[in-house]
Amino acid sequence: MSKPHINIDSFWLPSQRSTLAEEVDFGFFAAYWVGIVLFILVTVATLYFGWKYKRRSEDDKTSPIAHNTRLEVTWSLIPLAVLIFLFVVGIKSYVYASVAPAEAYEIKVTGEMYMWTFTYPDGTTTTNEVAVPRGRPVRMIMSSKDVIHSFYIPEFRVKSDVVPGLYTTLWFEATKEGETALLCTEYCGYGHSDMLARVKVLEGAAFDKWLEEQSGPSDLPPAEYGKALYAKRSCITCHTVDGSPLQGPTFKGLFGKTETLADGTTVTVDENYIRESLMTPQAKIVRGFPPVMPTYKGLLKDRDIDALVAYIKSLQ
Ligand code: CUA
């Protein structure tokens, strides 16, 4: 499974995948072209005047020009008009982006080191993956469990800090079916660059089906269901299954192993240790690893924990 990524289809900006994107890009390019035109005018005038009024001899005197009212009014009024235009463009999309439509679909977002959790109105939770219906306003109500993160979906042109002890919100209406990425854009620790989520834009019926699948019972054998959860619940960010350590111990050969903990005591990795590590990760930290595992309390059902245990058992 590839990492979530954004779609680049031009040199300039990521593709436009929300109703806000066009507004934002219009504002960006308006300011951009005003800048280009001014740059050319100022540069050409500087070069021309430098050449025309160059002092050519010792007797050259600066001509006694006081002022030119018509010229000064002109060079004040034109920029004023341009600035008012940019202000109107800016305030229009700012207001559009700030006020969510009343009928918006609401998703609760929790940021923490280093993952995103999404809670849907029906209580379904997902980790590092969020699906949204196409053509329907979606409002994100966001908060952080630890430090400041920032919620950024470049292709939707939305971005907002995610702060502990506070709710921030933003909204968007996705216009294109397909996948894009949510990035954390506030440096929050060494796992910051891995704090990504897959954003799926689905048509109405496909969205309902997706939502149902997230919480529906799995008829897979436990170890295979555990393997699916391993990717879906983002264990994959910190734990490999090939024997190499990342931010957490590898799952390969983990079950039954005796681990030395940070305080020097040892523990045998069994069902209860895995369960405890999922629910209260800080209780027993394996020596040599940072205490950065987030708790999955409330996110995993007993059935999910059983499946993860079965999966880890299968990796011998
Ligand atoms: Cu969370 Cu950077």
Side-chain angles (χ1 to χ4, degrees):
M1 200 166 59
S2 67
K3 278 200 175 180
H5 60 273
I6 59 171
N7 305 282
I8 307 278
D9 52 23
S10 90
F11 173 76
W12 297 106
L13 294 171
S15 71
Q16 301 176 332
R17 282 168 186 259
S18 79
T19 51
L20 182 62
E22 268 175 52
E23 303 243 353
V24 169
D25 292 4
F26 180 74
F28 172 79
F29 281 115
Y32 173 85
W33 283 112
V34 167
I36 294 276
V37 168
L38 282 178
F39 171 75
I40 292 172
L41 286 178
V42 169
T43 308
V44 168
T46 305
L47 293 173
Y48 174 70
F49 290 147
W51 167 78
K52 176 151 194 227
Y53 296 109
K54 182 173 157 46
R55 196 180 187 212
R56 287 169 216 280
S57 74
E58 288 297 310
D59 315 324
D60 260 5
K61 292 258 157 47
T62 305
S63 35
I65 298 170
H67 71 278
N68 183 327
T69 307
R70 199 181 292 169
L71 189 61
E72 283 165 22
V73 167
T74 310
W75 80 38
S76 300
L77 288 186
I78 293 178
L80 181 68
V82 171
L83 285 177
I84 289 175
F85 166 72
L86 289 180
F87 172 77
V88 169
V89 167
I91 196 85
K92 233 182 96 238
S93 36
Y94 179 78
V95 169
Y96 180 77
S98 303
V99 186
E103 74 279 13
Y105 185 81
E106 290 188 343
I107 301 175
K108 172 81 182 53
V109 180
T110 306
E112 69 191 280
M113 297 149 105
Y114 300 99
M115 68 181 194
W116 296 102
T117 306
F118 304 92
T119 309
Y120 285 80
D122 68 353
T124 301
T125 65
T126 61
T127 310
N128 287 354
E129 180 172 297
V130 60
V132 295
R134 191 195 65 79
R136 187 167 167 194
V138 175
R139 185 162 178 254
M140 298 293 192
I141 300 156
M142 307 175 290
S143 195
S144 167
K145 272 196 192 170
D146 37 46
V147 299
I148 299 177
H149 303 277
S150 187
F151 180 103
Y152 181 34
I153 306 180
E155 285 171 280
F156 292 173
R157 310 289 192 271
V158 291
K159 182 169 164 183
S160 170
D161 274 8
V162 177
V163 183
L166 183 75
Y167 292 111
T168 52
T169 66
L170 56 75
W171 82 277
F172 53 79
E173 183 181 324
T175 51
K176 262 187 212 161
E177 233 190 315
E179 274 191 28
T180 179
L182 155 64
L183 323 175
C184 177
T185 178
E186 180 73 42
Y187 183 70
C188 50
Y190 62 75
H192 161 73
S193 58
D194 277 326
M195 200 168 158
L196 301 164
R198 193 177 300 278
V199 181
K200 289 183 168 173
V201 179
L202 302 170
E203 292 294 342
F207 171 74
D208 293 339
K209 187 162 165 276
W210 177 90
L211 193 55
E212 212 166 279
E213 279 167 9
Q214 300 312 304
S215 50
S218 166
D219 39 18
L220 294 171
E224 270 176 51
Y225 178 47
K227 186 177 180 181
L229 284 176
Y230 166 75
K232 209 155 88 179
R233 290 300 183 173
S234 72
C235 318
I236 197 166
T237 313
C238 299
H239 301 277
T240 68
V241 292
D242 64 4
S244 54
L246 279 179
Q247 287 151 36
T250 181
F251 283 171
K252 191 178 164 70
L254 184 64
F255 197 86
K257 198 171 156 193
T258 302
E259 293 274 35
T260 306
L261 303 178
D263 63 3
T265 58
T266 60
V267 67
T268 301
V269 179
D270 58 7
E271 288 88 348
N272 283 316
Y273 177 68
I274 294 174
R275 185 188 180 87
E276 182 185 54
S277 295
L278 287 164
M279 297 296 112
T280 326
Q282 308 306 321
K284 298 193 179 85
I285 297 290
V286 175
R287 173 172 282 177
F289 291 97
V292 295
M293 165 100 178
T295 174
Y296 280 83
K297 201 174 256 172
L299 296 177
L300 295 176
K301 303 186 180 86
D302 282 350
R303 185 171 56 93
D304 303 332
I305 297 169
D306 293 346
L308 282 166
V309 168
Y311 176 53
I312 292 171
K313 264 186 195 172
S314 74
L315 297 164
Q316 288 306 319

